[in-house]
Amino acid sequence: MRPTALITGASRGLGSAIARELAAGHNLLLGARKEDALKEILTEIEDAKPFPADLTDHAAVAEAVKGIDRLDVLVHNAGVADLGTVADTPAEVWRNTMEANVIAVAELTRLLLPALRKAGGHVVLINSGAGLRANAGWGPYAASKFALRAFGDALRLEEPKIRVTSIHPGRIATDMQRAIVEGEGGTFDADQFLSPETVARAVHAAIDTAPDGHPTEIVLRPTAR
């Protein structure tokens, strides 16, 4: 029986790259807020199924997971990156960032724990270099990623039959990164960043680690060019 993987934020960027990377060996559930956003990737991966839900709407998420009684892989890729200095960032941005990047992850994981336990599953958290070091102007995002790392550490200890891997990539050449660079006043150059495919292969390698190994953290940085 082919393993089943649920990937959040799968409509574009890193999420769709992870979907392509895992497609050959997994039955895929691909997450996005709206099913329409998944049209392109679902056309490309014909046997994949949509998992449409606003992950910050906990009632909707509880409804969406009904019927998932076994899950081998859960990849938490969805998230937001609202940047700004502490002086210029209001409470709403902090709250929304934590809601999307931490609380939504915790709740979806909690709801799917019975299915993950049944499969002896694997939770992959797409974190960030910002989850290891906070830089000026990145306070809310870094705080959420530090919290996400703590969540993964706690989950790993509480659920010894489930593997939990935190992936900490440097900047990735995605549309989100383009917006960040332009917001910083820079010029986007994809060659200066990790490709989504490189990070997706790291996710696949973690999942394919032999059962006697537990890949707890993977840190990736762009190669100096």
Side-chain angles (χ1 to χ4, degrees):
M1 182 173 63
R2 274 162 54 104
T4 297
L6 169 58
I7 304 164
T8 68
S11 63
R12 59 194 179 98
L14 178 57
S16 62
I18 295 170
R20 295 184 190 97
E21 179 68 24
L22 299 186
H26 294 77
N27 297 318
L28 297 181
L29 297 171
L30 302 182
R33 288 187 180 183
K34 301 290 184 182
E35 188 169 343
D36 286 350
L38 294 163
K39 183 177 180 180
E40 184 175 342
I41 191 67
L42 288 172
T43 299
E44 183 179 343
I45 307 174
E46 295 183 358
D47 58 349
K49 296 181 180 179
F51 181 82
D54 179 346
L55 298 178
T56 63
D57 182 341
H58 304 310
V61 172
E63 186 65 27
V65 301
K66 288 182 178 178
I68 302 177
D69 60 358
R70 180 186 176 92
L71 185 64
D72 299 273
V73 179
L74 173 58
V75 180
H76 287 288
N77 172 68
V80 299
D82 290 323
L83 306 184
T85 65
V86 171
D88 293 333
T89 303
E92 182 181 4
V93 171
W94 286 89
R95 188 176 297 112
N96 290 344
T97 300
M98 296 299 290
E99 181 71 39
N101 291 355
V102 185
I103 298 171
V105 170
E107 180 63 1
L108 179 59
T109 304
R110 184 185 71 84
L111 291 168
L112 288 171
L113 273 178
L116 288 161
R117 289 169 179 154
K118 185 174 182 179
H122 197 147
V123 176
V124 178
L125 304 168
I126 303 299
N127 201 295
S128 168
L132 301 171
R133 184 183 68 180
N135 291 318
W138 289 68
Y141 182 72
S144 73
K145 292 301 187 178
F146 268 71
L148 183 63
R149 185 185 181 195
F151 167 78
D153 290 346
L155 181 64
R156 193 179 299 115
L157 293 171
E158 293 170 1
E159 300 288 339
K161 294 185 178 180
I162 296 173
R163 295 198 291 186
V164 181
T165 303
S166 289
I167 309 282
H168 294 269
R171 293 191 174 198
I172 307 169
T174 62
D175 289 341
M176 178 184 286
Q177 193 63 240
R178 181 187 297 273
I180 290 172
V181 171
E182 291 174 354
E184 293 172 330
T187 300
F188 180 79
D189 179 359
D191 289 339
Q192 299 301 310
F193 305 114
L194 290 163
S195 74
E197 291 73 24
T198 294
V199 182
R201 286 192 289 272
V203 171
H204 199 173
I207 293 168
D208 278 355
T209 300
D212 63 328
H214 191 153
T216 58
E217 288 191 343
I218 296 175
V219 180
L220 292 171
R221 293 289 179 267
T223 302
R225 307 190 184 198

